[in-house]
Amino acid sequence: EVDNMNKEQEYIKFWTSIMNKIDEIEKEYNNLSDENKRRADGVRDTILRAHTFVDAVQIIRSQMN
């Protein structure tokens, strides 16, 4: 039972961390120019169509080259 509680706490902590990162990203996104918002939206849409996490990371890395 304690092990299950620890796993649940770990899981909740993971999603809390993700939400905090999303909040930071949203603030940065809101500061982008309209042109860069459109560019970022296109990349976001491509990432959302990715089938694996690795694919998504590769898409993000390609934006930095």
Side-chain angles (χ1 to χ4, degrees):
E1 187 64 36
V2 170
D3 192 40
N4 282 342
M5 270 182 54
N6 289 340
K7 287 180 182 175
E8 186 65 16
Q9 288 173 335
E10 173 188 63
Y11 188 73
I12 291 168
K13 184 178 174 186
F14 168 77
W15 285 111
T16 300
S17 173
I18 294 292
M19 286 304 302
N20 290 337
K21 289 175 175 73
I22 288 171
D23 288 344
E24 289 177 37
I25 291 167
E26 185 176 27
K27 287 176 189 165
E28 290 184 35
Y29 174 86
N30 288 333
N31 288 328
L32 290 174
S33 66
D34 288 345
E35 177 186 350
N36 281 334
K37 281 180 183 169
R38 282 191 293 276
R39 291 174 67 194
D41 290 348
V43 175
R44 177 205 58 215
D45 293 346
T46 303
I47 289 168
L48 291 175
R49 287 191 297 269
H51 293 283
T52 68
F53 180 74
V54 172
D55 290 342
V57 170
Q58 288 176 336
I59 292 164
I60 293 168
R61 285 200 173 119
S62 75
Q63 297 304 303
M64 295 181 280
N65 294 336

